[in-house]
Amino acid sequence: MPPRSSSQRHSSDQFLIISSHRVKQKNLNRLKLIPIIECILLCGRQEIGLRGLRDSGPIYFEGETGGDDKYTNEGNFSAILKFKANDLDYLKEHLSSNSRYKYTSPNIHNEIINISGNLIVGKLVQMVNSAECFSVLADETIDVSLKEQLTLCVRYVNGSEDSVKVHEKIHSLTGKDVASAILEGTITIGLNSCGIDCTKMVGQGYDGAANMSGKFKGVQTMIRNLYPSAIFVHFAAHSLNLAVSSTCEVQSVRNCMGIVGKMHNFFNSPKRNNVLLEAIINSDLNPSAKSLKRLCVTRWVERYTAINDFVELFPSIVDALEEILNKFNDISSVSDANLLLKSMDSEFLIALQVVKVMIFYGLPLCKCLQKSDIDLKEAVELAQCNISTLEHIRENIDKEFKLMFKEAEKMALILDINISVKKLNKRQQNQPNPFACVKSMNPEDYYKITIDIDSFIKIFLIHMNISEGQFQPILNVSKYEAFEEVVRFYLDSDTQIVIAELRIWQSKLKANTKNPKAAINALRLCTQSIFPNIYKLLKILYTIPVSTSTPERSFSCMKRLKTYLRNSMTENHLNGLTLLTLLAVHREILIDAKEVLDVMAQKSRKLDIIFIVII
């Protein structure tokens, strides 16, 4: 090779100088943008609104024009970034420069949030695809802008032996129509578009709405036509909430729940609430509750709290109503207090005790269903225990109702009334009148029939019966005939080989005196390399959804993010913020500012942030 001329060497040296200078400038640009990205991620994780009065304008520092006014509201993002720049000279220099490209505009905010959401979804997809199976959970709600929002969550199992753990992660929030075909397309396209292998779907969980659970045109049927192994489960927690809704068909129960709700609304104003609070403070009972709770329409635990607090505060409520009735000059308040006092009659007191007992019996099951790591076997067993208890109450209804009646009599003493039968007429047809021809009647017997506690318990039993259905063979693996159906449905292996594997595994458990009660315990006692087929079946059982707790939590998060003042938030922006809040804040799926910056560098920018390799 001939030696290079002096001009060639000079050109080569200039190229190296220019390249070296470009690398330094690129590194400096990346260094400047990382704190900006970190501030946006911090605001997203902590649910801090990004845009205040001047979030998209210039950031002034002390001594600059516009920077001496300490009371100027610069917005959350600008204030955090300005505070961070006080310790970083290069960032302060960047923000105070005359450059037009500072990367603090609202468009950059949205882009960083969208990139963060996509990175989280990408990592989630990797985890789901690495599992052998997954289930999809979906639920709908209406946001503050009256737009239908569909939340998609995935449930999967990862880890091995003692580290096995189930995960329920939100995948996306989507504003769509409620038609079955549109929802089905939203779910399948949403999963496939991000790279999830839907052939591994073994379960789908929705509420009991016809467009979701319909046998012919429902979403679950359409998806199962595409993926036959994706069996449908009606959310057990939603079924429990339907129990209370169904029991409200009993007139006395409906009236009781309505009065409790109106009592909360009445004392919800500051002036009336002060009267109630004063009565609670002066009470000799020293109750733990200090206010009435709203009777929530959908949450069982909130119903329990509302009824329990009402019963606990009942003496204080009566004192507060009487004080308002006697001392208030407001005609409306006096009239409402008088009506509420008169509405608490004998029927109300007895119905309140019945509702209290029934809701208390359903509370343990409801709390169990709030856990994301519950499996179908555990839920079915607890539901069966509740059913057995309620059946026992039903069989001993006379004894149980007598206890409820005594508690109602104690509350009647506070109101200074006696439990009595309503005025009856032989010809009345619109109210229960079982003793129209009897001159003397026992109030206890009368209300036991008119409130119809037997039907009340029957409704609870219907909705608490979490059906095993097609999962029974998995739950009762000792029945080998039923077990063969499961093997043929889920596995491609030879049935006899899998049954032999099952018998050996059961013998091993018996020899080690192990008796797992839940799928997670069985999964941890099953070695995948030795019992691969049994391990996969147990994993499927643990993956099948039971509760709607994760979609409900995403709705709670959405209500905190998409508020009345932020009701024009776009779908992608809401998705990114929700994923940052629910996943990144719990340190389950972490993203780094450098990852976001690398994605931003894939697009042409005014600032050079592309990584350069000099050969």
Side-chain angles (χ1 to χ4, degrees):
M1 179 181 294
R4 292 186 299 172
S5 65
S6 59
S7 61
Q8 288 177 332
R9 288 195 301 271
H10 181 67
S11 299
S12 177
D13 293 341
Q14 283 184 330
F15 175 76
L16 290 175
I17 293 172
I18 294 172
S19 299
S20 176
H21 176 73
R22 187 182 176 190
V23 169
K24 291 179 180 179
Q25 186 61 46
K26 181 269 304 178
N27 289 333
L28 181 60
N29 291 339
R30 291 176 68 92
L31 203 61
K32 293 175 182 177
L33 294 186
I34 284 177
I36 298 175
I37 297 173
E38 288 175 344
C39 288
I40 294 175
L41 294 180
L42 172 66
C43 291
R45 288 168 181 166
Q46 302 303 127
E47 302 176 13
I48 300 173
L50 284 172
R51 297 177 195 173
L53 180 65
R54 297 173 55 196
D55 255 4
S56 59
I59 299 176
Y60 297 108
F61 292 90
E62 197 171 332
E64 299 179 352
T65 303
D68 295 330
D69 188 358
K70 297 181 180 180
Y71 301 100
T72 300
N73 180 11
E74 296 181 307
N76 297 325
F77 168 72
S78 298
I80 295 173
L81 191 59
K82 183 177 178 179
F83 182 78
K84 193 176 184 69
N86 289 329
D87 297 326
L88 301 173
D89 293 337
Y90 59 85
L91 178 61
K92 186 175 182 178
E93 180 183 354
H94 171 69
L95 296 176
S96 59
S97 66
N98 295 325
S99 174
R100 293 175 55 192
Y101 311 111
K102 297 181 181 179
Y103 284 72
T104 58
S105 68
N107 291 335
I108 294 296
H109 296 174
N110 293 337
E111 184 178 1
I112 291 174
I113 289 171
N114 292 342
I115 290 173
S116 303
N118 293 334
L119 287 173
I120 292 173
V121 170
K123 294 184 178 184
L124 175 60
V125 169
Q126 292 178 359
M127 295 178 183
V128 173
N129 287 336
S130 63
E132 295 182 350
C133 53
F134 75 94
S135 295
V136 61
L137 300 85
D139 203 359
E140 292 174 285
T141 191
I142 298 177
D143 61 22
V144 70
S145 60
L146 303 181
K147 184 178 180 181
E148 281 281 348
Q149 293 288 350
L150 173 72
T151 180
L152 287 181
C153 301
V154 288
R155 179 183 172 99
Y156 62 96
V157 178
N158 65 3
S160 59
E161 296 182 355
D162 292 340
S163 62
V164 171
K165 186 178 179 182
V166 68
H167 300 273
E168 284 187 359
K169 300 288 193 302
I170 177 175
H171 173 272
S172 63
L173 278 166
T174 310
K176 290 292 181 182
D177 194 358
V178 295
S180 300
I182 297 176
L183 290 176
E184 180 270 332
T186 302
I187 294 173
T188 54
I189 294 173
L191 294 175
N192 285 318
S193 62
C194 65
I196 293 180
D197 185 4
C198 289
T199 58
K200 297 180 179 180
M201 190 190 306
V202 297
Q204 42 180 332
Y206 318 117
D207 57 25
N211 62 339
M212 304 300 290
S213 61
K215 294 183 179 180
F216 301 103
K217 296 292 184 179
V219 171
Q220 64 97 3
T221 304
M222 295 179 180
I223 291 181
R224 196 163 183 191
N225 290 337
L226 298 174
Y227 310 104
S229 60
I231 52 182
F232 166 65
V233 181
H234 181 190
F235 284 144
H238 181 264
S239 184
L240 273 181
N241 287 325
L242 290 178
V244 175
S245 301
S246 299
T247 53
C248 286
E249 296 175 3
V250 181
Q251 183 179 354
S252 55
V253 175
R254 182 172 63 249
N255 294 341
C256 172
M257 303 286 274
I259 292 171
V260 173
K262 289 184 180 298
M263 201 72 73
H264 167 265
N265 295 336
F266 179 77
F267 284 107
N268 201 29
S269 66
K271 189 175 180 180
R272 298 167 185 169
N273 187 59
N274 287 337
V275 177
L276 176 60
L277 187 59
E278 186 177 350
I280 294 172
I281 294 173
N282 296 331
S283 174
D284 297 331
L285 301 176
N286 192 22
S288 58
K290 300 301 179 183
S291 63
L292 293 176
K293 305 299 189 298
R294 184 173 67 92
L295 197 62
C296 184
V297 179
T298 57
R299 296 177 185 263
W300 185 285
V301 177
E302 296 299 325
R303 287 196 185 101
Y304 159 78
T305 305
I307 296 295
N308 182 61
D309 289 355
F310 183 87
V311 173
E312 186 179 6
L313 296 176
F314 186 75
S316 302
I317 292 171
V318 174
D319 292 341
L321 288 174
E322 290 177 347
E323 183 174 350
I324 292 173
L325 187 62
N326 297 326
K327 296 183 179 180
F328 268 41
N329 296 324
D330 183 7
I331 298 176
S332 176
S333 298
V334 171
S335 175
D336 291 344
N338 187 36
L339 287 174
L340 288 173
L341 272 173
K342 291 183 177 179
S343 65
M344 293 189 291
D345 55 7
S346 301
E347 185 179 59
F348 166 78
L349 297 178
I350 296 175
L352 180 65
Q353 290 299 323
V354 173
V355 171
K356 170 189 164 186
V357 171
M358 292 299 102
I359 289 183
F360 285 9
Y361 275 107
L363 183 64
L365 179 59
C366 180
K367 287 184 175 179
C368 180
L369 294 175
Q370 292 297 315
K371 301 188 299 181
S372 60
D373 59 347
I374 186 176
D375 61 75
L376 185 65
K377 186 175 186 298
E378 185 179 356
V380 169
E381 288 179 350
L382 187 55
Q384 292 298 330
C385 292
N386 276 52
I387 290 173
S388 301
T389 305
L390 289 176
E391 288 284 6
H392 176 75
I393 294 176
R394 194 178 177 193
E395 292 172 0
N396 301 274
I397 192 64
D398 294 335
K399 179 182 178 181
E400 297 293 337
F401 189 79
K402 187 179 290 294
L403 297 175
M404 300 178 197
F405 189 81
K406 287 181 179 179
E407 291 296 323
E409 286 182 324
K410 293 178 183 178
M411 298 180 73
L413 292 175
I414 299 172
L415 286 169
D416 198 20
I417 63 174
N418 295 320
I419 301 293
S420 59
V421 178
K422 287 187 174 182
K423 184 179 179 180
L424 302 177
N425 191 322
K426 291 183 179 181
R427 295 183 179 181
Q428 75 179 39
Q429 298 177 356
N430 298 325
Q431 293 184 6
N433 189 7
F435 302 108
C437 299
V438 181
K439 294 182 180 180
S440 60
M441 54 193 69
N442 184 356
E444 181 179 341
D445 295 333
Y446 171 78
Y447 285 112
K448 183 168 61 178
I449 295 175
T450 56
I451 292 181
D452 197 9
I453 187 173
D454 185 68
S455 298
F456 192 89
I457 295 176
K458 189 185 297 183
I459 293 172
F460 267 74
L461 291 174
I462 292 172
H463 288 283
M464 279 189 175
N465 187 16
I466 303 176
S467 176
E468 300 177 18
Q470 51 197 320
F471 320 118
Q472 187 174 4
I474 307 179
L475 301 174
N476 301 305
V477 291
S478 59
K479 300 178 180 179
Y480 295 112
E481 294 180 359
F483 185 71
E484 291 179 6
E485 299 178 12
V486 180
V487 173
R488 286 191 291 268
F489 185 75
Y490 285 109
L491 304 177
D492 295 330
S493 306
D494 184 84
T495 306
Q496 297 301 321
I497 295 176
V498 180
I499 291 178
E501 193 175 302
L502 172 66
R503 288 174 174 170
I504 296 172
W505 179 63
Q506 289 177 333
S507 299
K508 181 184 176 183
L509 292 178
K510 188 175 181 180
N512 295 328
T513 63
K514 301 289 186 180
N515 185 22
K517 298 295 183 181
I520 180 63
N521 298 327
L523 199 57
R524 288 170 178 169
L525 294 172
C526 184
T527 307
Q528 184 177 7
S529 57
I530 302 176
F531 309 104
N533 295 304
I534 303 302
Y535 187 87
K536 184 174 182 179
L537 290 177
L538 289 171
K539 202 171 184 179
I540 291 172
L541 173 60
Y542 198 27
T543 305
I544 293 173
V546 179
S547 176
T548 180
S549 57
T550 301
E552 290 290 345
R553 290 188 181 100
S554 69
F555 293 151
S556 299
C557 175
M558 182 194 68
K559 289 178 181 178
R560 295 194 302 270
L561 294 173
K562 192 171 183 179
T563 61
Y564 177 79
L565 297 177
R566 306 169 74 187
N567 60 7
S568 60
M569 188 183 298
T570 62
E571 191 174 297
N572 290 335
H573 192 79
L574 178 61
N575 252 328
L577 286 178
T578 305
L579 290 169
L580 273 173
T581 302
L582 287 178
L583 299 180
V585 76
H586 297 300
R587 302 295 186 267
E588 295 175 346
I589 299 179
L590 295 178
I591 57 171
D592 186 69
K594 292 182 180 179
E595 295 180 79
V596 178
L597 190 58
D598 289 338
V599 176
M600 292 179 67
Q602 297 174 8
K603 183 179 177 181
S604 177
R605 302 282 173 182
K606 297 295 183 181
L607 288 181
D608 188 6
I609 54 177
I610 300 175
F611 183 75
I612 303 172
V613 179
I614 301 177
I615 301 176

